[in-house]
Coordinates of all heavy atoms in Angstrom, one line a residue:
M1 N 8.3 35.7 -43.6 CA 7.3 36.1 -42.6 C 5.9 36.4 -43.3 O 5.9 37.0 -44.4 CB 7.8 37.4 -41.9 CG 6.9 37.9 -40.8 SD 7.6 39.2 -39.9 CE 6.4 40.5 -40.1
S2 N 4.9 35.8 -42.8 CA 3.5 35.9 -43.3 C 2.8 37.2 -42.9 O 3.0 37.6 -41.7 CB 2.8 34.7 -42.9 OG 1.4 34.8 -43.4
F3 N 2.1 37.8 -43.8 CA 1.3 38.9 -43.5 C 0.1 38.5 -42.8 O -0.7 37.7 -43.3 CB 1.0 39.8 -44.7 CG 0.3 41.1 -44.4 CD1 1.0 42.2 -44.1 CD2 -1.1 41.1 -44.4 CE1 0.4 43.4 -43.7 CE2 -1.7 42.3 -44.1 CZ -1.0 43.4 -43.8
R4 N -0.2 39.0 -41.6 CA -1.4 38.6 -40.8 C -2.3 39.9 -40.7 O -1.9 40.9 -40.3 CB -1.0 38.2 -39.4 CG -2.2 37.6 -38.6 CD -1.6 37.2 -37.2 NE -2.6 37.2 -36.2 CZ -3.3 38.2 -35.7 NH1 -3.3 39.4 -36.4 NH2 -4.1 38.1 -34.7
F5 N -3.5 39.7 -41.2 CA -4.5 40.8 -41.2 C -5.0 41.0 -39.8 O -5.3 40.0 -39.1 CB -5.7 40.5 -42.2 CG -5.3 40.7 -43.6 CD1 -4.9 39.6 -44.3 CD2 -5.3 41.9 -44.2 CE1 -4.5 39.7 -45.7 CE2 -4.9 42.1 -45.5 CZ -4.5 40.9 -46.3
P6 N -5.2 42.2 -39.4 CA -5.8 42.5 -38.1 C -7.3 42.0 -38.1 O -8.0 42.1 -39.1 CB -5.8 44.0 -37.9 CG -5.2 44.5 -39.2 CD -4.9 43.4 -40.1
T7 N -7.7 41.4 -36.9 CA -9.1 40.9 -36.9 C -9.9 41.6 -35.9 O -11.1 41.3 -35.7 CB -9.0 39.4 -36.5 OG1 -8.3 39.3 -35.2 CG2 -8.3 38.6 -37.5
T8 N -9.4 42.6 -35.2 CA -10.2 43.4 -34.3 C -9.9 44.9 -34.5 O -8.9 45.3 -35.2 CB -9.9 43.2 -32.8 OG1 -8.5 43.6 -32.5 CG2 -10.0 41.7 -32.4
Q9 N -10.8 45.8 -34.1 CA -10.6 47.2 -34.2 C -9.3 47.6 -33.5 O -8.6 48.4 -34.1 CB -11.8 47.9 -33.6 CG -11.7 49.4 -33.6 CD -13.0 50.1 -33.0 OE1 -14.0 50.1 -33.7 NE2 -12.9 50.7 -31.9
R10 N -9.1 47.1 -32.4 CA -7.8 47.4 -31.6 C -6.6 47.0 -32.5 O -5.7 47.9 -32.6 CB -7.8 46.6 -30.3 CG -6.5 46.8 -29.5 CD -6.5 45.9 -28.3 NE -5.3 46.1 -27.5 CZ -5.2 46.9 -26.5 NH1 -6.2 47.6 -26.1 NH2 -4.1 47.1 -25.9
E11 N -6.6 45.8 -33.0 CA -5.4 45.4 -33.8 C -5.3 46.3 -35.0 O -4.1 46.7 -35.4 CB -5.6 44.0 -34.3 CG -5.4 42.9 -33.2 CD -5.6 41.5 -33.8 OE1 -5.7 41.3 -35.0 OE2 -5.6 40.6 -32.9
L12 N -6.4 46.6 -35.7 CA -6.3 47.5 -36.9 C -5.7 48.8 -36.6 O -4.8 49.3 -37.2 CB -7.7 47.6 -37.4 CG -7.9 48.5 -38.7 CD1 -7.2 47.9 -39.9 CD2 -9.4 48.7 -39.0
L13 N -6.2 49.5 -35.5 CA -5.8 50.8 -35.2 C -4.3 50.8 -34.7 O -3.5 51.7 -35.1 CB -6.7 51.4 -34.1 CG -8.1 51.8 -34.6 CD1 -9.0 52.0 -33.4 CD2 -8.0 53.0 -35.5
T14 N -4.0 49.9 -33.8 CA -2.6 49.9 -33.3 C -1.6 49.5 -34.4 O -0.5 50.0 -34.4 CB -2.5 49.0 -32.0 OG1 -2.9 47.7 -32.3 CG2 -3.3 49.6 -30.9
R15 N -2.0 48.6 -35.3 CA -1.0 48.2 -36.3 C -0.8 49.4 -37.2 O 0.4 49.7 -37.6 CB -1.7 47.1 -37.2 CG -0.9 46.8 -38.5 CD 0.1 45.7 -38.4 NE -0.4 44.5 -38.0 CZ -0.9 43.5 -38.8 NH1 -1.0 43.7 -40.1 NH2 -1.4 42.4 -38.3
V16 N -1.8 50.2 -37.6 CA -1.6 51.3 -38.5 C -0.9 52.5 -37.8 O -0.1 53.1 -38.3 CB -3.0 51.7 -39.1 CG1 -2.8 53.0 -39.9 CG2 -3.5 50.6 -40.0
R17 N -1.2 52.7 -36.5 CA -0.6 53.7 -35.7 C 0.9 53.5 -35.6 O 1.7 54.4 -35.7 CB -1.2 53.8 -34.3 CG -0.6 55.0 -33.5 CD -1.4 55.4 -32.3 NE -1.6 54.4 -31.3 CZ -0.8 54.2 -30.2 NH1 0.3 54.9 -30.1 NH2 -1.1 53.3 -29.4
G18 N 1.3 52.2 -35.4 CA 2.7 51.9 -35.4 C 3.4 52.6 -34.2 O 2.9 52.6 -33.1
D19 N 4.5 53.3 -34.5 CA 5.3 53.9 -33.5 C 4.8 55.4 -33.2 O 5.4 56.0 -32.3 CB 6.8 54.0 -33.9 CG 7.4 52.6 -33.9 OD1 6.9 51.7 -33.2 OD2 8.4 52.4 -34.7
R20 N 3.8 55.8 -33.9 CA 3.3 57.2 -33.6 C 2.6 57.3 -32.3 O 2.0 56.3 -31.9 CB 2.4 57.6 -34.8 CG 3.0 57.8 -36.1 CD 2.0 58.2 -37.1 NE 1.4 57.0 -37.6 CZ 0.9 56.9 -38.8 NH1 0.9 57.9 -39.7 NH2 0.4 55.8 -39.2
S21 N 2.6 58.4 -31.7 CA 1.9 58.6 -30.5 C 0.4 58.7 -30.8 O 0.0 59.0 -31.9 CB 2.3 59.9 -29.8 OG 1.9 61.1 -30.6
Q22 N -0.4 58.5 -29.8 CA -1.9 58.6 -30.0 C -2.2 60.0 -30.4 O -3.1 60.2 -31.3 CB -2.6 58.3 -28.7 CG -2.8 56.8 -28.5 CD -3.7 56.5 -27.3 OE1 -3.9 57.3 -26.4 NE2 -4.3 55.3 -27.3
K23 N -1.5 61.0 -29.8 CA -1.8 62.4 -30.2 C -1.5 62.6 -31.7 O -2.4 63.2 -32.4 CB -1.0 63.3 -29.3 CG -1.2 64.8 -29.6 CD -0.3 65.7 -28.7 CE -0.5 67.1 -29.1 NZ 0.3 68.0 -28.3
E24 N -0.4 62.2 -32.1 CA 0.0 62.4 -33.5 C -1.0 61.6 -34.5 O -1.4 62.2 -35.5 CB 1.4 61.9 -33.7 CG 2.0 62.0 -35.1 CD 3.4 61.5 -35.3 OE1 3.9 60.8 -34.3 OE2 4.0 61.7 -36.3
F25 N -1.3 60.4 -34.1 CA -2.2 59.6 -35.0 C -3.6 60.2 -35.0 O -4.3 60.2 -36.0 CB -2.2 58.2 -34.5 CG -2.8 57.2 -35.5 CD1 -2.5 57.2 -36.8 CD2 -3.8 56.3 -35.1 CE1 -3.0 56.3 -37.7 CE2 -4.4 55.4 -36.0 CZ -4.0 55.4 -37.3
A26 N -4.1 60.7 -33.8 CA -5.4 61.3 -33.7 C -5.5 62.5 -34.6 O -6.5 62.8 -35.3 CB -5.7 61.6 -32.3
Q27 N -4.4 63.3 -34.6 CA -4.4 64.5 -35.5 C -4.5 64.1 -36.9 O -5.2 64.7 -37.7 CB -3.1 65.3 -35.2 CG -3.2 66.0 -33.9 CD -1.8 66.7 -33.5 OE1 -0.8 66.4 -34.1 NE2 -1.9 67.7 -32.6
L28 N -3.8 63.1 -37.3 CA -3.8 62.6 -38.7 C -5.2 62.1 -39.1 O -5.7 62.4 -40.2 CB -2.8 61.4 -38.9 CG -2.8 60.7 -40.2 CD1 -2.3 61.6 -41.3 CD2 -2.1 59.4 -40.1
L29 N -5.9 61.5 -38.1 CA -7.2 61.0 -38.4 C -8.3 62.0 -38.2 O -9.5 61.8 -38.5 CB -7.5 59.8 -37.4 CG -6.7 58.5 -37.6 CD1 -7.0 57.6 -36.5 CD2 -7.0 57.9 -38.9
E30 N -7.9 63.2 -37.6 CA -8.8 64.3 -37.4 C -9.9 63.9 -36.3 O -11.0 64.2 -36.5 CB -9.4 64.9 -38.6 CG -8.4 65.4 -39.6 CD -9.0 65.9 -40.9 OE1 -10.2 65.7 -41.2 OE2 -8.3 66.6 -41.6
V31 N -9.4 63.2 -35.3 CA -10.2 62.9 -34.1 C -9.5 63.3 -32.9 O -8.3 63.6 -32.8 CB -10.6 61.4 -34.1 CG1 -11.3 60.9 -35.3 CG2 -9.3 60.5 -33.9
D32 N -10.3 63.4 -31.8 CA -9.7 63.7 -30.5 C -8.9 62.5 -30.0 O -9.2 61.4 -30.2 CB -10.9 64.0 -29.5 CG -10.4 64.6 -28.2 OD1 -10.0 65.8 -28.2 OD2 -10.3 63.8 -27.2
R33 N -7.8 62.8 -29.3 CA -6.9 61.8 -28.8 C -7.7 60.9 -27.8 O -7.5 59.7 -27.8 CB -5.7 62.4 -28.1 CG -4.6 61.3 -27.8 CD -3.9 61.4 -26.5 NE -4.6 61.7 -25.3 CZ -5.2 60.7 -24.6 NH1 -5.1 59.5 -24.9 NH2 -5.8 61.0 -23.5
T34 N -8.5 61.4 -27.0 CA -9.3 60.6 -26.0 C -10.2 59.6 -26.8 O -10.4 58.5 -26.4 CB -10.1 61.4 -25.0 OG1 -11.0 62.3 -25.7 CG2 -9.2 62.2 -24.2
C35 N -10.8 60.1 -27.9 CA -11.6 59.2 -28.7 C -10.8 58.1 -29.3 O -11.2 56.9 -29.3 CB -12.3 59.9 -29.8 SG -13.7 61.0 -29.3
L36 N -9.6 58.4 -29.8 CA -8.7 57.4 -30.3 C -8.4 56.3 -29.3 O -8.4 55.1 -29.5 CB -7.4 58.0 -30.9 CG -6.4 57.0 -31.4 CD1 -6.9 56.1 -32.5 CD2 -5.1 57.7 -31.8
S37 N -8.1 56.8 -28.1 CA -7.9 55.9 -27.0 C -9.0 54.9 -26.8 O -8.9 53.7 -26.6 CB -7.6 56.6 -25.7 OG -7.4 55.7 -24.6
R38 N -10.3 55.5 -26.8 CA -11.4 54.6 -26.6 C -11.6 53.7 -27.8 O -12.1 52.5 -27.6 CB -12.7 55.5 -26.4 CG -12.7 56.0 -25.0 CD -13.9 56.8 -24.7 NE -13.6 58.2 -25.0 CZ -14.4 59.2 -25.2 NH1 -15.7 59.0 -25.2 NH2 -14.0 60.4 -25.4
Y39 N -11.3 54.1 -29.0 CA -11.3 53.2 -30.2 C -10.4 52.0 -30.0 O -10.7 50.9 -30.3 CB -11.0 53.9 -31.5 CG -11.8 55.1 -31.8 CD1 -11.3 56.1 -32.6 CD2 -13.1 55.3 -31.4 CE1 -12.0 57.2 -33.0 CE2 -13.9 56.4 -31.7 CZ -13.3 57.4 -32.5 OH -14.0 58.5 -32.9
E40 N -9.2 52.4 -29.5 CA -8.1 51.3 -29.4 C -8.4 50.3 -28.3 O -8.0 49.2 -28.4 CB -6.7 52.0 -29.2 CG -6.2 52.6 -30.4 CD -4.8 53.2 -30.2 OE1 -4.2 53.1 -29.1 OE2 -4.2 53.6 -31.2
T41 N -9.1 50.8 -27.3 CA -9.5 49.9 -26.2 C -10.9 49.2 -26.5 O -11.4 48.4 -25.7 CB -9.6 50.6 -24.8 OG1 -10.5 51.6 -24.9 CG2 -8.2 51.0 -24.4
E42 N -11.5 49.6 -27.6 CA -12.8 49.1 -28.1 C -13.9 49.4 -27.1 O -14.9 48.7 -27.0 CB -12.7 47.6 -28.4 CG -11.7 47.2 -29.5 CD -11.6 45.8 -29.9 OE1 -12.0 44.9 -29.1 OE2 -11.2 45.5 -31.0
K43 N -13.7 50.5 -26.4 CA -14.8 51.0 -25.6 C -15.8 51.8 -26.4 O -16.9 52.1 -26.0 CB -14.3 51.9 -24.4 CG -13.5 51.1 -23.4 CD -13.0 51.9 -22.3 CE -12.2 51.1 -21.4 NZ -11.5 51.9 -20.3
L44 N -15.4 52.2 -27.6 CA -16.2 53.0 -28.5 C -15.9 52.5 -30.0 O -14.7 52.3 -30.3 CB -15.8 54.5 -28.4 CG -16.6 55.5 -29.2 CD1 -18.1 55.5 -28.7 CD2 -16.0 56.9 -29.0
G45 N -16.9 52.4 -30.7 CA -16.7 52.0 -32.1 C -16.2 53.2 -32.9 O -16.6 54.3 -32.8
A46 N -15.2 52.9 -33.7 CA -14.5 53.9 -34.5 C -15.5 54.3 -35.7 O -16.1 53.4 -36.3 CB -13.2 53.5 -35.1
P47 N -15.5 55.6 -36.1 CA -16.3 55.9 -37.3 C -15.8 55.4 -38.6 O -14.6 55.0 -38.6 CB -16.2 57.5 -37.2 CG -15.0 57.8 -36.4 CD -14.8 56.7 -35.5
T48 N -16.6 55.3 -39.5 CA -16.3 54.7 -40.8 C -15.0 55.4 -41.4 O -14.2 54.7 -42.0 CB -17.4 54.9 -41.8 OG1 -18.6 54.3 -41.2 CG2 -17.2 54.2 -43.1
S49 N -14.9 56.7 -41.3 CA -13.7 57.4 -41.8 C -12.4 56.9 -41.2 O -11.4 56.8 -42.0 CB -13.9 58.9 -41.6 OG -13.9 59.2 -40.2
V50 N -12.4 56.6 -39.9 CA -11.2 56.1 -39.3 C -10.9 54.7 -39.8 O -9.8 54.4 -40.1 CB -11.4 56.2 -37.7 CG1 -10.3 55.4 -37.0 CG2 -11.4 57.6 -37.3
I51 N -11.9 53.8 -39.8 CA -11.8 52.5 -40.2 C -11.3 52.4 -41.7 O -10.4 51.7 -42.0 CB -13.1 51.7 -40.1 CG1 -13.5 51.6 -38.6 CG2 -13.0 50.3 -40.7 CD1 -12.5 50.8 -37.7
N52 N -11.9 53.3 -42.5 CA -11.5 53.3 -44.0 C -10.0 53.7 -44.1 O -9.3 53.2 -44.9 CB -12.4 54.2 -44.8 CG -13.7 53.6 -45.0 OD1 -13.9 52.4 -44.9 ND2 -14.7 54.4 -45.4
H53 N -9.6 54.7 -43.3 CA -8.2 55.2 -43.4 C -7.3 54.0 -43.0 O -6.3 53.7 -43.7 CB -8.0 56.3 -42.4 CG -6.5 56.7 -42.3 ND1 -5.9 57.6 -43.1 CD2 -5.6 56.2 -41.5 CE1 -4.6 57.7 -42.8 NE2 -4.4 56.9 -41.8
C54 N -7.6 53.3 -42.0 CA -6.8 52.2 -41.5 C -6.8 51.0 -42.5 O -5.8 50.4 -42.8 CB -7.3 51.7 -40.1 SG -7.0 52.9 -38.8
L55 N -8.0 50.7 -43.1 CA -8.1 49.6 -44.1 C -7.2 50.0 -45.3 O -6.6 49.1 -45.9 CB -9.5 49.4 -44.5 CG -10.4 48.7 -43.4 CD1 -11.8 48.7 -43.9 CD2 -9.9 47.4 -43.1
R56 N -7.2 51.2 -45.7 CA -6.3 51.6 -46.9 C -4.9 51.4 -46.5 O -4.1 50.9 -47.3 CB -6.6 53.1 -47.3 CG -7.8 53.2 -48.1 CD -7.9 54.6 -48.7 NE -8.0 55.7 -47.7 CZ -9.1 56.1 -47.1 NH1 -10.3 55.5 -47.4 NH2 -9.1 57.1 -46.2
A57 N -4.5 51.7 -45.3 CA -3.1 51.6 -44.9 C -2.7 50.1 -44.8 O -1.6 49.7 -45.2 CB -2.9 52.2 -43.5
I58 N -3.6 49.2 -44.3 CA -3.4 47.8 -44.2 C -3.3 47.2 -45.6 O -2.5 46.4 -45.9 CB -4.5 47.1 -43.4 CG1 -4.4 47.5 -41.9 CG2 -4.5 45.6 -43.6 CD1 -3.1 47.0 -41.3
A59 N -4.1 47.7 -46.5 CA -4.1 47.2 -47.9 C -2.7 47.5 -48.5 O -2.2 46.7 -49.3 CB -5.2 47.8 -48.7
A60 N -2.2 48.7 -48.2 CA -0.9 49.1 -48.7 C 0.2 48.2 -48.2 O 1.1 47.7 -48.9 CB -0.6 50.5 -48.4
Q61 N 0.1 47.9 -46.9 CA 1.0 47.0 -46.2 C 0.9 45.6 -46.8 O 2.0 44.9 -47.1 CB 0.8 46.9 -44.7 CG 1.1 48.1 -44.0 CD 0.7 48.0 -42.5 OE1 0.3 47.0 -42.0 NE2 0.8 49.2 -41.8
A62 N -0.3 45.1 -47.1 CA -0.5 43.8 -47.7 C 0.1 43.7 -49.1 O 0.7 42.7 -49.5 CB -1.9 43.4 -47.7
G63 N 0.0 44.9 -49.8 CA 0.6 44.9 -51.1 C 2.1 44.8 -51.1 O 2.7 44.2 -52.0
E64 N 2.7 45.4 -50.1 CA 4.1 45.3 -49.9 C 4.5 43.8 -49.7 O 5.5 43.3 -50.2 CB 4.6 46.2 -48.8 CG 4.5 47.7 -49.1 CD 4.7 48.5 -47.9 OE1 5.1 48.0 -46.8 OE2 4.5 49.7 -48.0
A65 N 3.7 43.2 -48.8 CA 4.0 41.8 -48.5 C 3.7 40.9 -49.7 O 4.4 39.9 -50.0 CB 3.1 41.3 -47.3
D66 N 2.8 41.3 -50.5 CA 2.4 40.6 -51.7 C 3.5 40.6 -52.8 O 3.5 39.8 -53.7 CB 1.1 41.2 -52.3 CG 0.2 40.2 -52.9 OD1 0.4 39.0 -52.7 OD2 -0.7 40.7 -53.6
A67 N 4.5 41.5 -52.7 CA 5.5 41.6 -53.6 C 6.4 40.4 -53.6 O 7.1 40.1 -54.6 CB 6.3 42.9 -53.4
D68 N 6.5 39.7 -52.5 CA 7.3 38.5 -52.3 C 6.6 37.4 -53.0 O 5.5 37.0 -52.6 CB 7.5 38.2 -50.8 CG 8.3 37.0 -50.5 OD1 8.5 36.2 -51.5 OD2 8.8 36.8 -49.4
P69 N 7.2 36.8 -54.0 CA 6.6 35.7 -54.8 C 6.2 34.5 -53.9 O 5.2 33.9 -54.2 CB 7.6 35.3 -55.8 CG 8.8 36.0 -55.5 CD 8.6 37.1 -54.5
V70 N 7.0 34.2 -52.9 CA 6.6 33.0 -52.0 C 5.3 33.4 -51.2 O 4.4 32.5 -51.1 CB 7.8 32.7 -51.1 CG1 7.4 31.6 -50.1 CG2 9.0 32.2 -51.9
L71 N 5.3 34.6 -50.7 CA 4.1 35.0 -49.9 C 2.9 35.0 -50.9 O 1.8 34.6 -50.5 CB 4.3 36.3 -49.3 CG 5.2 36.4 -48.1 CD1 5.4 37.8 -47.6 CD2 4.8 35.4 -47.0
R72 N 3.0 35.5 -52.1 CA 2.0 35.5 -53.0 C 1.5 34.1 -53.3 O 0.3 33.8 -53.4 CB 2.4 36.2 -54.3 CG 1.4 36.9 -55.0 CD 1.8 37.8 -56.2 NE 2.9 37.3 -57.0 CZ 4.1 37.8 -57.1 NH1 4.4 38.8 -56.3 NH2 5.0 37.2 -57.9
A73 N 2.4 33.1 -53.5 CA 2.0 31.8 -53.8 C 1.3 31.2 -52.6 O 0.3 30.4 -52.8 CB 3.3 30.9 -54.1
L74 N 1.7 31.5 -51.4 CA 1.0 30.9 -50.2 C -0.4 31.5 -50.1 O -1.3 30.8 -49.7 CB 1.8 31.3 -48.9 CG 3.1 30.5 -48.7 CD1 3.9 31.1 -47.6 CD2 2.8 29.0 -48.5
M75 N -0.6 32.8 -50.4 CA -1.9 33.4 -50.3 C -2.8 32.7 -51.4 O -4.0 32.4 -51.1 CB -1.8 34.9 -50.5 CG -1.2 35.6 -49.3 SD -0.9 37.4 -49.4 CE -2.0 38.0 -50.5
H76 N -2.3 32.5 -52.6 CA -3.1 31.8 -53.6 C -3.5 30.4 -53.2 O -4.6 29.9 -53.4 CB -2.3 31.8 -54.9 CG -2.3 33.1 -55.6 ND1 -3.4 33.8 -56.0 CD2 -1.2 33.9 -55.9 CE1 -3.0 35.0 -56.5 NE2 -1.7 35.0 -56.5
T77 N -2.5 29.7 -52.5 CA -2.8 28.3 -52.1 C -3.9 28.3 -51.0 O -4.8 27.5 -51.1 CB -1.5 27.7 -51.5 OG1 -0.5 27.7 -52.6 CG2 -1.7 26.3 -51.0
R78 N -3.8 29.2 -50.1 CA -4.8 29.3 -49.0 C -6.2 29.6 -49.7 O -7.2 29.0 -49.3 CB -4.5 30.4 -48.1 CG -3.4 30.1 -47.1 CD -3.2 31.2 -46.1 NE -1.9 31.0 -45.4 CZ -0.9 31.9 -45.4 NH1 -1.1 33.1 -45.9 NH2 0.2 31.6 -44.7
E79 N -6.3 30.5 -50.6 CA -7.5 30.8 -51.3 C -8.0 29.6 -52.1 O -9.2 29.3 -52.0 CB -7.3 32.0 -52.3 CG -8.6 32.4 -52.9 CD -9.7 32.9 -51.9 OE1 -9.4 33.4 -50.9 OE2 -10.9 32.7 -52.3
A80 N -7.2 28.8 -52.7 CA -7.6 27.6 -53.4 C -8.1 26.6 -52.5 O -9.2 26.0 -52.8 CB -6.4 27.1 -54.2
I81 N -7.5 26.4 -51.3 CA -8.0 25.4 -50.3 C -9.3 25.9 -49.8 O -10.3 25.0 -49.7 CB -7.0 25.3 -49.2 CG1 -5.7 24.6 -49.7 CG2 -7.6 24.6 -48.0 CD1 -4.6 24.6 -48.7
R82 N -9.5 27.1 -49.6 CA -10.8 27.6 -49.1 C -11.9 27.3 -50.1 O -13.0 26.9 -49.8 CB -10.7 29.2 -48.9 CG -11.5 29.6 -47.7 CD -11.2 31.1 -47.3 NE -9.9 31.3 -46.9 CZ -9.0 32.3 -47.4 NH1 -9.4 33.0 -48.4 NH2 -7.8 32.4 -47.0
E83 N -11.6 27.6 -51.4 CA -12.6 27.4 -52.5 C -12.9 25.9 -52.6 O -14.1 25.5 -52.8 CB -12.0 27.9 -53.8 CG -12.0 29.4 -53.9 CD -13.3 30.1 -53.8 OE1 -14.3 29.5 -54.3 OE2 -13.4 31.2 -53.2
L84 N -11.9 25.0 -52.5 CA -12.1 23.6 -52.6 C -13.0 23.1 -51.4 O -13.9 22.2 -51.6 CB -10.8 22.8 -52.6 CG -10.0 22.9 -53.9 CD1 -8.6 22.4 -53.7 CD2 -10.7 22.2 -55.0
E85 N -12.8 23.7 -50.2 CA -13.6 23.3 -49.0 C -15.0 23.7 -49.2 O -15.9 23.0 -48.9 CB -13.0 23.9 -47.8 CG -11.7 23.2 -47.3 CD -11.0 24.0 -46.2 OE1 -11.2 25.2 -46.0 OE2 -10.2 23.4 -45.5
V86 N -15.2 24.9 -49.8 CA -16.6 25.4 -50.0 C -17.3 24.5 -51.1 O -18.4 24.1 -50.9 CB -16.6 26.8 -50.5 CG1 -17.9 27.3 -51.0 CG2 -16.2 27.8 -49.4
A87 N -16.5 24.1 -52.1 CA -17.1 23.2 -53.2 C -17.4 21.9 -52.6 O -18.4 21.2 -53.0 CB -16.1 23.1 -54.3
A88 N -16.7 21.4 -51.6 CA -16.9 20.1 -51.0 C -18.0 20.2 -49.9 O -18.4 19.1 -49.4 CB -15.6 19.5 -50.4
G89 N -18.4 21.4 -49.6 CA -19.4 21.6 -48.6 C -18.9 21.5 -47.1 O -19.6 21.3 -46.2
T90 N -17.6 21.7 -47.0 CA -17.0 21.7 -45.7 C -16.1 22.9 -45.4 O -14.9 22.8 -45.2 CB -16.1 20.4 -45.5 OG1 -15.1 20.4 -46.5 CG2 -16.9 19.2 -45.5
P91 N -16.7 24.1 -45.5 CA -15.9 25.3 -45.3 C -15.3 25.4 -43.9 O -15.9 25.0 -42.9 CB -16.9 26.5 -45.5 CG -18.2 25.9 -45.3 CD -18.1 24.4 -45.6
K92 N -14.0 25.8 -43.9 CA -13.3 26.0 -42.7 C -13.0 27.5 -42.5 O -12.9 28.3 -43.5 CB -11.9 25.3 -42.7 CG -12.1 23.8 -43.0 CD -12.6 23.1 -41.7 CE -12.5 21.6 -42.0 NZ -13.6 20.9 -41.5
N93 N -12.8 28.0 -41.3 CA -12.4 29.4 -41.1 C -11.1 29.6 -41.5 O -10.1 29.8 -41.6 CB -12.6 29.8 -39.6 CG -14.1 29.8 -39.3 OD1 -14.9 29.9 -40.2 ND2 -14.4 29.6 -38.0

């Protein structure tokens, strides 16, 4: 299974929250539950402290996925392809 990085604020917050309730996760982040709800629905931009907390958690999850040598090789291959595309002047997303 490939590790997929979240690409939106909503994905980032809900991935890190996992099975915890909004109330529990909001307490951990030291924010109001209603604010967390607005962050998750992207009605309000999350503060840097919340985003940083979530990015650290995602980095830890990626590190766990990185422990698999096959996944590590795939990630290196993707990066090599990206670099070759840039060098050729045809970068892809």
Side-chain angles (χ1 to χ4, degrees):
M1 185 170 121
S2 175
F3 184 85
R4 187 178 152 308
F5 287 93
T7 57
T8 66
Q9 177 176 289
R10 175 187 182 93
E11 287 178 9
L12 178 65
L13 290 164
T14 56
R15 168 95 58 90
V16 174
R17 181 163 64 91
D19 294 335
R20 291 180 276 208
S21 69
Q22 279 187 337
K23 180 180 178 182
E24 183 181 8
F25 193 51
Q27 288 173 338
L28 175 70
L29 296 173
E30 298 179 348
V31 298
D32 188 78
R33 192 215 50 84
T34 59
C35 286
L36 176 60
S37 177
R38 284 183 264 162
Y39 302 154
E40 287 185 356
T41 59
E42 297 183 341
K43 292 179 181 175
L44 183 65
T48 306
S49 60
V50 169
I51 298 296
N52 286 342
H53 173 90
C54 292
L55 289 174
R56 282 191 297 275
I58 290 295
Q61 291 174 7
E64 292 168 7
D66 216 14
D68 180 344
V70 174
L71 290 178
R72 211 171 40 249
L74 287 171
M75 287 174 28
H76 288 299
T77 301
R78 287 185 193 123
E79 183 61 31
I81 290 169
R82 218 174 295 126
E83 292 296 324
L84 289 169
E85 288 171 339
V86 169
T90 57
K92 305 284 188 223
N93 291 334

